[in-house]
Amino acid sequence: MTTIVFVHAHPDDEASATACSMAMATDLGHRVVVIYATNGDHGEPATDLAEGETVVSRRRLEAQGSAAATGAEIRWLDYADSGMAGWEQNDAEGSFHAASTDEAGGRLAAHLDELAPDVVVGYDFHGNYGHPDHVKVHHVVKRALDLHHGRPRYLEVTINRDLMRRQRQQAIDAGVDVGDWDVDQPMLDGHPIGTPEAELHWQVDGRAVIDRKRAALSAHASQTSDVGMMLAIPEDAFREGWGFEHYIEPALGEQPMRTAWPF
């Protein structure tokens, strides 16, 4: 049995980015652990919060529902959500973005020392789209691996920019109104979304378990803007658009992308 640790910034990031890979791994008998850097307290408040219930407690409950769909275990670094780029919460006391990389890396390394993972998955260098907490995950995971006593394989989940561009064109050709969004436009940090296909190493075809990804997303029902937008996509289009998950494995250098099981 292989132990695979996925480090994600917020509860719901695991559902959109790696739920297929996680479900496939647990189906194969591997141990999958998701470690959330933040508690997601700056997410959307649920409209039906009960008296005494908080955004954090609801999002922890939703994370458990997502884990039930993928078979993963859950752990928390317990930092506050840093909000979007430029928000005052970026530098608030207790936020993930404001934490020192050494301190946060040490906190994560303690989990890794206990779990002894065979594989650790973080984010690409700009966190796919420049969100402060996502960028921080990249640096904190790398620091944690320096401090960790083991030597697991290291992968970075990312978005295949070229595939997204092709799918956008296919939608246009089919007469779908995709608006004026451009795959190559600068995101929050000045970089386009994701990573060019030429720089990727692994493409996981998770279409066979796409229902598990939809279930994981559905568990995060309070996040109506992002999750609601994804789940509003027709199931056939969702399967093709969200059924592939992509990874960089820096140790592989310039090897081309393969559609294969990387774990």
Side-chain angles (χ1 to χ4, degrees):
M1 179 180 72
T2 296
T3 297
I4 310 167
V5 170
F6 292 83
V7 184
H8 281 287
H10 315 97
D12 77 7
D13 289 328
E14 86 298 336
S16 59
T18 61
C20 289
S21 300
M22 291 157 52
M24 293 167 71
T26 58
D27 284 351
L28 290 169
H30 301 305
R31 183 186 187 190
V32 172
V33 182
V34 178
I35 301 179
Y36 295 108
T38 80
N39 58 23
D41 60 330
H42 291 304
E44 296 177 75
T47 58
D48 61 344
L49 286 179
E51 184 176 354
E53 188 180 16
T54 65
V55 171
V56 171
S57 62
R58 174 61 67 90
R59 299 200 74 183
R60 286 181 183 272
L61 185 63
E62 291 178 337
Q64 291 290 347
S66 175
T70 62
E73 303 170 34
I74 291 176
R75 295 192 176 204
W76 303 85
L77 296 188
D78 282 325
Y79 288 100
D81 188 336
S82 309
M84 300 298 286
W87 288 14
E88 63 180 17
Q89 289 90 344
N90 292 175
D91 300 313
E93 184 177 355
S95 78
F96 186 50
H97 182 261
S100 78
T101 303
D102 282 346
E103 194 278 332
R107 196 179 294 193
L108 176 57
H111 286 282
L112 300 183
D113 286 345
E114 180 185 345
L115 293 167
D118 302 282
V119 185
V120 174
V121 181
Y123 291 167
D124 68 23
F125 81 96
H126 67 121
N128 292 330
Y129 67 103
H131 188 296
D133 284 331
H134 288 238
V135 176
K136 188 80 171 189
V137 163
H138 172 80
H139 296 291
V140 167
V141 170
K142 294 188 76 172
R143 181 59 180 144
L145 289 171
D146 289 339
L147 297 171
H148 173 45
H149 294 115
R151 287 291 176 265
R153 287 173 58 210
Y154 167 58
L155 280 72
E156 299 172 352
V157 66
T158 188
I159 295 168
N160 184 335
R161 189 186 307 156
D162 294 293
L163 176 61
M164 182 174 283
R165 189 187 300 109
R166 292 193 296 269
Q167 291 174 335
R168 180 180 184 276
Q169 188 58 52
Q170 289 168 359
I172 292 171
D173 293 344
V176 177
D177 181 4
V178 299
D180 59 0
W181 185 69
D182 179 2
V183 175
D184 297 297
Q185 71 185 8
M187 300 298 287
L188 298 174
D189 60 349
H191 298 282
I193 194 167
T195 304
E197 190 166 283
E199 298 175 20
L200 304 179
H201 297 104
W202 300 102
Q203 175 173 266
V204 173
D205 184 349
R207 291 176 295 178
V209 294
I210 198 64
D211 58 324
R212 307 268 289 283
K213 188 166 198 165
R214 289 188 73 93
L217 283 166
S218 297
H220 296 284
S222 67
Q223 303 309 293
T224 56
S225 294
D226 292 343
V227 171
M229 175 273 293
M230 296 176 206
L231 293 177
I233 299 171
E235 290 192 15
D236 286 351
F238 183 87
R239 182 180 63 252
E240 299 304 316
W242 294 89
F244 294 95
E245 296 172 350
H246 297 88
Y247 299 90
I248 301 165
E249 186 167 0
L252 296 182
E254 296 183 2
Q255 293 185 29
M257 184 183 80
R258 290 185 287 165
T259 301
W261 180 242
F263 302 115

